Amino acid sequence: MTRGLGRVFSGFKRLVTLSVMWSMKHPMYSVPLRSPSVRSMAVLPLPFGKPKDLSLPNATWGPEMMQLYEHYNSLCKVEVEAEGGQKKVPWKRIPGYNRLLKYATGGVYLSKMIQSKARLFTRNIREPGAAFEYALFINSEEEKCVGIWQVGHLLEGPPGHVHGGAIATIIDTVTGCLASLSGAVMTANLNINYRSPIQLGNTVVVESIVDKREGRKKFISCKVTSPDGTKLHTEATALFLSIDINQLLLGR
Ligand SMILES: CCCCCCCC(=O)SCCNC(=O)CCNC(=O)[C@H](O)C(C)(C)COP(=O)(O)OP(=O)(O)OC[C@H]1O[C@@H](n2cnc3c(N)ncnc32)[C@H](O)[C@@H]1OP(=O)(O)O
């Protein structure tokens, strides 16, 4: 039974992987996938339901998180003048899902059944409010990404405060989202200065901008502050390299 299902899954593996990336329109995979086979696969229906957007307010969001969400969400409705007298809405909220890939190729120790349960690291914990609650907003005109994050009790490092690795995850996600605006990337380098600890349960704002580009390289900087911007928690710089997503997925 398991073997039979495995065979069905492996047949669907590439199809679903690529369809999901396509259907979710995540900036990380926003470049059109060009091979004809990929294009035809993308229009086929998914064998599972529409993914739930988790970057929307839930009952665990505190007042600061809600205020920030409403602020950035309202920016997503503001039109600005673009070239040729056209109107544009530069801010967009990035929907947040449990996973980007249903069936990634996986490493040698990952069975096909387990692969099918793969989840985004930041969406690993199902309990709302327990870990990372977040929403990402991107401004493609200014090449800027802002993340609002409420950090739950399961992210404890030093007593009562957020683990440095969890902060690195937050920074990697926000800077990675910005870097992947024009195609798939991988983090090559992440350089973090922890300035002041973040209390568990607090909300922080993560702002990132593109500093420089050089060929495949994107240099991005990032700041993590309190919601009113008065307290600096963390500063970071990151280097992202654009990659061929097909090579990554096929493990070449
Ligand atoms: C919305 C959700 C977003 C989440 C984003 C999450 C992103 C991630 O976490 S990615 C996971 C963590 N990252 C990884 O696992 C990456 C592992 N590393 C790799 O795969 C590869 O080393 C990779 C892709 C970064 C670069 O490899 P490759 O494409 O072969 O590049 P390579 O030829 O070695 O180097 C290209 C250039 O970059 C430079 N470079 C590469 N790595 C680095 C580095 N770490 N520091 C500085 N420069 C570097 C090289 O010196 C070279 O420079 P130049 O062209 O001037 O000579």
Side-chain angles (χ1 to χ4, degrees):
M1 171 72 177
T2 308
R3 193 174 292 170
L5 270 177
R7 253 186 252 123
V8 173
F9 282 156
S10 66
F12 269 99
K13 189 169 67 183
R14 284 198 62 199
L15 173 143
V16 172
T17 296
L18 298 164
S19 309
V20 168
M21 283 159 35
W22 184 275
S23 69
M24 289 186 176
K25 293 193 169 55
H26 190 278
M28 191 161 181
Y29 305 109
S30 61
V31 241
L33 300 170
R34 295 205 187 280
S35 88
S37 55
V38 169
R39 220 179 299 141
S40 61
M41 285 171 180
V43 295
L44 292 170
L46 300 176
F48 52 91
K50 195 169 179 261
K52 188 178 172 201
D53 184 357
L54 298 168
S55 285
L56 293 169
N58 66 48
T60 72
W61 286 24
E64 285 179 321
M65 189 71 174
M66 281 307 302
Q67 225 176 344
L68 286 165
Y69 177 83
E70 275 154 20
H71 170 68
Y72 284 103
N73 211 35
S74 68
L75 291 183
C76 297
K77 291 167 193 142
V78 177
E79 285 188 333
V80 297
E81 199 86 26
E83 268 177 48
Q86 302 266 354
K87 298 271 184 197
K88 249 190 166 178
V89 182
W91 281 100
K92 286 198 172 44
R93 186 182 65 84
I94 307 296
Y97 301 113
N98 269 341
R99 61 173 75 90
L100 291 177
L101 306 177
K102 179 102 173 162
Y103 305 105
T105 49
V108 284
Y109 298 113
L110 203 58
S111 79
K112 286 193 169 60
M113 291 307 284
I114 292 174
Q115 282 174 40
S116 72
K117 295 180 182 164
R119 291 169 75 94
L120 272 183
F121 184 42
T122 47
R123 301 288 185 197
N124 240 325
I125 293 155
R126 285 170 193 265
E127 188 189 338
F132 299 103
E133 288 295 335
Y134 66 96
L136 303 175
F137 298 87
I138 201 145
N139 184 321
S140 50
E141 295 289 293
E142 294 174 26
E143 289 204 292
K144 185 175 180 174
C145 184
V146 175
I148 57 169
W149 294 72
Q150 185 181 289
V151 278
H153 59 279
L154 296 184
L155 302 178
E156 188 170 41
H161 291 81
V162 181
H163 193 286
I167 299 169
T169 297
I170 290 172
I171 291 170
D172 196 23
T173 303
V174 177
T175 53
C177 184
L178 178 58
S180 56
L181 195 58
S182 53
V185 293
M186 291 283 273
T187 320
N189 177 270
L190 195 54
N191 196 327
I192 300 179
N193 288 312
Y194 295 96
R195 301 294 186 198
S196 66
I198 301 171
Q199 278 187 350
L200 289 179
N202 275 9
T203 295
V204 290
V205 180
V206 187
E207 287 186 299
S208 65
I209 51 166
V210 177
D211 289 332
K212 189 170 65 156
R213 292 159 195 281
E214 273 172 19
R216 292 172 55 212
K217 297 181 202 170
K218 271 189 193 169
F219 296 85
I220 291 184
S221 59
C222 181
K223 273 188 182 163
V224 182
T225 66
S226 56
D228 62 5
T230 56
K231 186 160 200 160
L232 176 65
H233 291 296
T234 323
E235 286 175 300
T237 54
L239 168 63
F240 289 88
L241 279 164
S242 57
I243 54 147
D244 178 343
I245 189 70
N246 292 313
Q247 280 189 5
L248 179 70
L249 291 172
L250 301 175
R252 283 193 212 129

